[in-house]
């Protein structure tokens, strides 16, 4: 086999994997959007078989030999080839450590868990979710033990979501946040609260959907390649490649800002994925590299841009066009969407209290993996931590431990990415402002220069660079969470006249 | 290999095929429902690869040896096993005659054709569709030549849609229809036309969707396993097995009866598929056996039941519940939905003129395969035949040659199934009435006895019996299209007071 032949085989292999990914992702997406309620078993049947095919394809002799051959001759590969081989070998070596039957069982469990969670949340029924969530955590513990027997299981899962993240780095990061956010929030709470009544009323799902599509277009999404649907919990998914992206939202008919910010958030994810360089399609380098960098895009658009004064100035007349009943001014909108107030729901949280929601989840996951907490005690501990960190009483599990889809979807170790991503964004902003008049662009509804900045420094690379490389490449310095806390301090000092 | 081992392998193989079918069907379904407009290429990429995998799986040495071994030992198999082997071998021997690259190219062409057709219909742009439709017909000619070199190509495609159908049998069948329908229609046209104004007005898509769901429930669909979506052209598809079925419709906001009958029609297909015996799931025996038998279910529900006086008596108050603006009576509704009038659109045609629409398409397909007609001349010939058979002038291709999705979807040789299915239904009705008081059941909205009759005689068999066996099994006699024409004669003589 010549290098050239091997390279071609590698390309074909990745294309095949992408087609399988397309199929599995679409079955999941369909399950969350269009599928009737009673077909989860049918979905699990097909996903089980497809995941077995993917396992066999990934760990098969031919694949392993090909990758080992290419790895041994890596000096003859270009940057893309090197990184493809590296990422694929990493994945395969992990997969090889998981027995196939367990791998398949895990995929099926995820379909079941997601299905059970949907109904449990709808019916506020923790008891029905507890057994399957116990299985989910047990499975994650087993997988970590197989794949990284010498590491703490939770460190394994943190690293899977954000390469390099550990409990130690997260503890440090959250300590820094806590150190700044807790006193800042105290000061905010000593001041008169900002008014947000203008966000409330009745806003039909259809009107909100039209607004959502205008928002998607505004931030620069290629509308012919990005779909919008409604789900219980908003998410973003790419199907086969960055050339077909879907975002979802959930319309709350009593508050237009809820879906507005979820669309901008998911839109940020979709900008990142669809911004991959065209030649990355159907390779393992396609789409965003990690959850932390992903969330840094979504939360940058949602908050740093979307909750800025400049954005409110641009969007206020657009809001009034779609919802003529909305009264007030751009400045009032700015204050309304930045009302800092400890609440129950993470995805509805303001920028200041958001990290506290993440800390609750981080804390709980950490203690479960450490064996200090059992799944059955999660609701009580959830409620206790919400009281302690946010000072709120959780009235029911639907608005408590059942609110997020992540655990049911097997996204364990994911939550810290939201806080990390939020913090990365403050450094992007500082750097971006050196060359782009961000406020002027946003105020004019001109996202092209902002998108161009992000595309050149982050999006186009897909997974070619590691998360740390992407970050350094974008801002030219190391990650420093105090840039984020300083941003919060400045913003909320102004807003609340501290 | 023991028979038992081989039998288990056969089961696993069919499950794998079902998972691949699930993936491909879902990619198609997504393309027609939720996908953004610019992602057909991405869909073609994945479908191309998945179809290649299916080709390799189907024609691979291991599969062929397994099936040949089981075929040689067929006496040791039960009825299910025998039929599975027979159907799979038939398919595989056909597939083996098509070069793999051509097989894959064909699948990709279908994605392209469907995509181009959607835009062509929307823009009334035949010119954009002509080149790809030419390719579609050429490909069908090639496939017929590979698979059945000693047969007329069109006979091959007719048989693929309804086992046993040939040009000769179709010519005879359509001649019988023509002989009765043409004079009957003449008589109808000499009488005062029935009024159908009550069907017109403004009916929002949302209201129609609620009505559609009530109709689906009424006819007995298992709603937790059957989804409803909107598409340009209504269709029914099962995903992986009969345990997940989807129907689609198209809401015309100026006429509630359009979507009403398309939902009942597609609902009939879905009843047939979902009525497969549970043990058929994930085997090649799952779901309906042929297009003719399929259409016999859908058109039975749409017309023989749905356009009966009894049904109008049941449904009229339901219509008024959903659309309070509808005035009149059940009898007026009965007359309105049976107004016989040559029109432009097949799926909107009444029971009497429907077959004429089918004959136009049959005629055109036949002549294309015979080399007597070129694709480029289709619009002119379409319009000429509509003038000749139906006496109407086609104002544009959108309402002419571009109206149906079938050719773009590779469903060539399909159209006669609609007329065959319509005719089968008249014999079902006659037989069913021997043991079920059909009118009384329908008038009471009680579909259970009707569904039970069809389930026991037709649905539960899936593809276990051949179409001819299903038919004989259901009615205990041979197919006789004059039962259908007599049914029409009786019905329209009464309606038009002939």
């Amino acid at each position: 086999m010549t290098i050239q032949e091997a390279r071609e085989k590698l390309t074909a292999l990745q294309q095949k994997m992408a087609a399988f990914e397309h199929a599995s992702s679409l079955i999941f997406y369909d399950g969350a959007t269009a599928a009737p309620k009673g077909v989860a078993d049918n979905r699990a049947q097909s996903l089980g078989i497809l995941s077995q095919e993917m396992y066999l394809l990934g760990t098969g002799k031919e694949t392993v030999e090909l990758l080992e051959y290419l790895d041994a001759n890596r000096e003859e590969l270009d940057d893309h080839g090197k990184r493809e081989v590296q990422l694929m070998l990493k994945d395969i070596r992990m997969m090889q450590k998981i027995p196939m039957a367990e791998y398949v069982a895990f995929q099926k469990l995820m379909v079941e868990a997601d299905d059970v969670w949907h109904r449990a949340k709808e019916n506020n029924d923790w008891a029905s979710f507890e057994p399957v969530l116990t299985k989910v955590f047990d499975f994650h513990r087993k997988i970590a033990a197989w794949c990284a027997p010498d590491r703490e299981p939770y460190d394994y899962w943190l690293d899977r979501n954000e390469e390099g993240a550990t409990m130690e780095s997260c503890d440090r990061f959250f300590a820094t946040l806590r150190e700044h956010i807790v006193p800042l929030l105290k000061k905010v709470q000593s001041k008169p609260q900002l008014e947000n009544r203008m966000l409330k009323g009745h806003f039909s799902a259809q009107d909100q959907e039209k607004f959502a599509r205008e928002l998607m277009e505004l931030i620069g999404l290629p509308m012919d390649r990005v779909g919008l649907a409604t789900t219980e919990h908003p998410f973003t998914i790419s199907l086969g490649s960055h050339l077909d992206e879907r975002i979802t939202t959930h319309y709350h008919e009593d508050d237009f800002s809820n879906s507005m910010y979820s669309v901008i958030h998911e839109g940020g994810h979709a900008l990142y994925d669809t911004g991959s360089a065209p030649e990355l399609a159907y390779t393992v380098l396609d789409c965003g590299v990690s959850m932390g960098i992903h969330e840094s895009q979504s939360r940058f658009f949602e908050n740093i841009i979307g909750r800025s004064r400049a954005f409110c100035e641009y969007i206020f007349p657009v809001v009034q066009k779609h919802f003529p009943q909305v009264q007030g001014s751009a400045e009032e909108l700015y204050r309304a969407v930045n009302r800092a107030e400890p609440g129950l729901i993470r995805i509805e949280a303001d920028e200041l209290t958001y990290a506290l929601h993440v800390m609750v989840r981080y804390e709980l996951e950490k203690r479960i993996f450490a064996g200090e907490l059992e799944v059955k005690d999660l609701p009580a501990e959830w409620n206790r931590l919400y009281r302690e960190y946010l000072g709120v009483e959780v009235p029911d599990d639907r608005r408590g431990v059942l609110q997020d889809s992540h655990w049911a979807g097997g996204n364990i170790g994911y939550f810290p990415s939201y806080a990390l991503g939020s913090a990365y964004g403050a450094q992007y902003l500082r750097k971006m402002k050196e060359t782009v008049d961000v406020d002027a662009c946003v105020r004019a509804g001109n996202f092209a220069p902002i998108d161009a900045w992000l595309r050149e420094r982050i999006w186009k690379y897909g997974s070619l660079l590691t998360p740390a490389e992407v970050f350094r490449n974008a801002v030219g310095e190391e990650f420093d969470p105090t840039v984020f806390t300083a941003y919060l301090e400045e913003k909320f000092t102004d807003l609340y006249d501290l």
Side-chain angles (χ1 to χ4, degrees), chain A:
Chain A
M1 188 159 51
T2 67
I3 282 284
Q4 185 51 31
E5 283 162 1
R7 193 70 189 80
E8 278 161 22
K9 277 191 181 178
L10 185 70
T11 299
L13 174 64
Q14 291 176 91
Q15 287 176 350
K16 199 183 281 189
M17 285 174 162
F20 278 102
E21 288 287 355
H22 187 161
S24 317
S25 302
L26 185 57
I27 291 175
F28 168 79
Y29 173 79
D30 173 68
T33 54
K37 290 208 167 177
V39 302
D41 286 0
N42 190 63
R43 211 152 57 230
Q45 164 81 14
S46 293
L47 277 175
I49 287 173
L50 291 172
S51 68
Q52 182 169 319
E53 290 300 297
M54 286 161 89
Y55 183 97
L56 290 169
L57 180 64
T59 61
K61 192 162 164 276
E62 208 183 335
T63 298
V64 175
E65 282 175 3
L66 173 69
L67 285 165
E68 283 172 350
Y69 170 81
L70 284 164
D71 192 42
N73 294 280
R74 62 195 321 280
E75 290 319 312
E76 295 183 52
L77 298 173
D78 62 10
D79 285 352
H80 282 214
K82 280 183 190 136
R83 177 77 171 157
E84 287 168 20
V85 169
Q86 182 205 347
L87 286 177
M88 290 174 83
L89 267 178
K90 187 179 166 190
D91 244 32
I92 284 167
R93 287 191 175 132
M94 207 123 58
M95 241 194 226
Q96 286 174 318
K97 292 176 185 155
I98 309 175
M100 184 171 79
E102 300 277 0
Y103 183 81
V104 172
F106 181 65
Q107 308 303 325
K108 287 188 171 190
L109 175 62
M110 286 308 125
V111 180
E112 186 197 346
D114 188 64
D115 185 53
V116 171
W117 168 76
H118 271 91
R119 273 172 291 134
K121 181 173 177 184
E122 201 175 316
N123 304 322
N124 189 35
D125 178 14
W126 162 260
S128 68
F129 187 48
E130 190 198 302
V132 69
L133 185 60
T134 304
K135 283 193 226 165
V136 169
F137 272 105
D138 287 349
F139 230 123
H140 277 79
R141 212 177 275 116
K142 275 202 293 187
I143 289 175
W146 284 320
C147 294
D150 49 348
R151 297 187 66 182
E152 288 290 335
Y154 193 42
D155 274 345
Y156 170 78
W157 286 107
L158 288 171
D159 181 79
R160 289 283 290 173
N161 284 283
E162 187 67 357
E163 207 179 321
T166 60
M167 284 186 275
E168 201 227 315
S169 73
C170 286
D171 283 346
R172 243 185 303 122
F173 168 63
F174 285 122
T176 304
L177 294 194
R178 196 179 287 117
E179 195 182 308
H180 291 83
I181 290 173
V182 172
L184 182 58
L185 180 60
K186 278 234 171 75
K187 278 201 254 178
V188 161
Q189 289 179 312
S190 73
K191 289 286 185 169
Q193 187 49 288
L194 303 182
E195 189 49 70
N196 68 351
R197 258 180 306 196
M198 70 183 293
L199 310 176
K200 316 289 177 180
H202 181 77
F203 311 95
S204 77
Q206 292 129 274
D207 289 344
Q208 289 195 61
E209 191 188 318
K210 284 186 200 126
F211 182 44
R213 292 192 187 272
E214 181 158 350
L215 287 168
M216 290 167 71
E217 224 168 313
L218 171 66
I219 64 174
L221 285 169
M223 296 301 284
D224 58 333
R225 297 199 273 112
V226 183
L228 171 68
T230 59
T231 51
E232 174 56 38
H233 201 96
F235 64 85
T236 301
I237 198 166
S238 57
L239 299 176
S241 76
H242 73 273
L243 300 171
D244 183 356
E245 193 83 7
R246 312 294 171 93
I247 71 169
T248 77
T249 186
H250 190 102
Y251 301 111
H252 295 252
E253 295 205 322
D254 59 349
D255 185 334
F256 72 84
S257 70
N258 198 299
S259 160
M260 167 173 154
Y261 283 109
S262 102
V263 166
I264 301 174
H265 178 98
E266 303 304 332
H269 284 300
L271 281 168
Y272 184 19
D273 280 343
T274 57
S276 289
E279 65 271 22
L280 300 187
Y282 314 115
T283 75
V284 294
L285 307 187
D286 200 27
C287 296
V289 66
S290 74
M291 292 309 126
I293 302 294
H294 243 299
E295 293 301 334
S296 78
Q297 301 308 303
S298 52
R299 292 195 53 82
F300 181 82
F301 277 90
E302 177 190 355
N303 295 309
I304 291 182
I305 300 295
R307 285 190 163 91
S308 69
R309 183 172 268 128
F311 185 77
C312 292
E313 287 173 19
Y314 176 80
I315 211 70
F316 182 68
V318 180
V319 168
Q320 285 198 313
K321 183 183 76 184
H322 289 278
F323 314 115
Q325 69 267 44
V326 172
Q327 299 297 314
S329 66
E331 182 62 21
E332 285 170 83
L333 179 63
Y334 175 58
R335 294 163 66 84
V337 300
N338 284 296
R339 177 182 166 119
E341 189 176 36
L344 294 166
I345 310 295
R346 177 184 58 82
I347 65 169
E348 296 173 11
D350 57 85
E351 249 178 307
L352 186 55
T353 61
Y354 185 86
L356 303 174
H357 292 262
V358 172
M359 287 177 210
V360 169
R361 291 150 177 82
Y362 170 67
E363 206 59 39
L364 294 171
E365 290 184 346
K366 198 167 77 163
R367 285 165 54 197
I368 284 183
F369 278 103
E372 299 164 13
L373 180 66
E374 286 182 64
V375 169
K376 73 172 172 48
D377 298 321
L378 265 176
E381 269 307 283
W382 180 285
N383 297 355
R384 197 183 64 74
L385 287 177
Y386 260 78
R387 207 175 298 126
E388 184 181 323
Y389 287 16
L390 288 122
V392 296
E393 284 300 323
V394 177
D396 51 44
D397 294 330
R398 204 162 50 82
R399 284 171 285 182
V401 68
L402 289 173
Q403 70 182 260
D404 290 313
S405 62
H406 299 64
W407 291 341
N411 291 310
I412 288 179
Y414 186 122
F415 286 115
S417 313
Y418 288 108
L420 286 166
S422 302
Y424 295 165
Q427 272 169 283
Y428 301 157
L429 179 71
R430 190 169 74 175
K431 187 73 186 172
M432 195 185 285
K433 280 186 164 173
E434 290 176 10
T435 50
V436 178
D437 187 343
V438 177
D439 283 340
C441 287
V442 172
R443 198 175 293 117
N446 172 23
F447 277 68
I450 295 166
D451 291 355
W453 193 95
L454 292 164
R455 184 185 310 277
E456 276 312 302
R457 282 165 184 79
I458 299 173
W459 301 346
K460 73 173 185 187
Y461 293 105
S463 297
L464 183 62
L465 307 179
T466 68
E469 285 168 351
V470 168
F471 187 82
R472 270 196 304 273
N473 190 57
V475 300
E477 58 190 21
E478 291 304 308
F479 173 47
D480 173 7
T482 66
V483 179
F484 175 58
T485 54
Y487 155 86
L488 290 177
E489 277 153 0
E490 190 188 329
K491 179 169 181 174
F492 286 90
T493 297
D494 168 57
L495 270 161
Y496 278 86
D497 198 17
L498 302 180

